[in-house]
Amino acid sequence: GILIYIYAFDHNPPHIHAFYGEDVAAVTIQNGELLEGYLPVKVMSMVQEWIENNRTELLHMWETQEFKMLAPLE
């Protein structure tokens, strides 16, 4: 599976860290752009869809540092 984390007090822009096997990427919350790293195309597409579905909650967590688990893609 894909693991996604937001690190407390991380640098801007707001982003998530996605882990898939040996692949790791930082992806912006605002528009799903790849900041650094690599994910296979299909995995990156799923991460971007998940970000889109959870953008409001992700930005709230980034701003408040109040973290919680979010539902996976269905």
Side-chain angles (χ1 to χ4, degrees), residues 2 4 40-51 73:
I2 305 165
I4 296 178
V41 173
K42 182 172 176 90
V43 173
M44 183 65 173
S45 177
M46 292 172 69
V47 168
Q48 290 169 325
E49 181 181 351
W50 183 84
I51 289 171
L73 284 177

Side-chain angles (χ1 to χ4, degrees), residues 18-55:
F19 298 82
Y20 180 73
E22 298 294 318
D23 299 317
V24 180
V27 183
T28 64
I29 295 170
Q30 287 289 2
N31 56 19
E33 286 185 13
L34 180 67
L35 286 176
E36 62 183 48
Y38 168 81
L39 292 174
V41 173
K42 182 172 176 90
V43 173
M44 183 65 173
S45 177
M46 292 172 69
V47 168
Q48 290 169 325
E49 181 181 351
W50 183 84
I51 289 171
E52 185 176 325
N53 292 346
N54 294 286
R55 184 167 286 123

Side-chain angles (χ1 to χ4, degrees), residues 11-23:
H11 60 89
N12 280 314
H15 62 281
I16 58 93
H17 295 266
F19 298 82
Y20 180 73
E22 298 294 318
D23 299 317

Side-chain angles (χ1 to χ4, degrees), residues 4-12 14-17 29 58 60-68:
I4 296 178
Y5 295 95
I6 293 179
Y7 295 133
F9 307 108
D10 208 351
H11 60 89
N12 280 314
H15 62 281
I16 58 93
H17 295 266
I29 295 170
L58 290 167
H60 177 76
M61 285 190 273
W62 183 271
E63 292 168 8
T64 64
Q65 300 289 294
E66 296 173 4
F67 303 109
K68 65 180 182 178

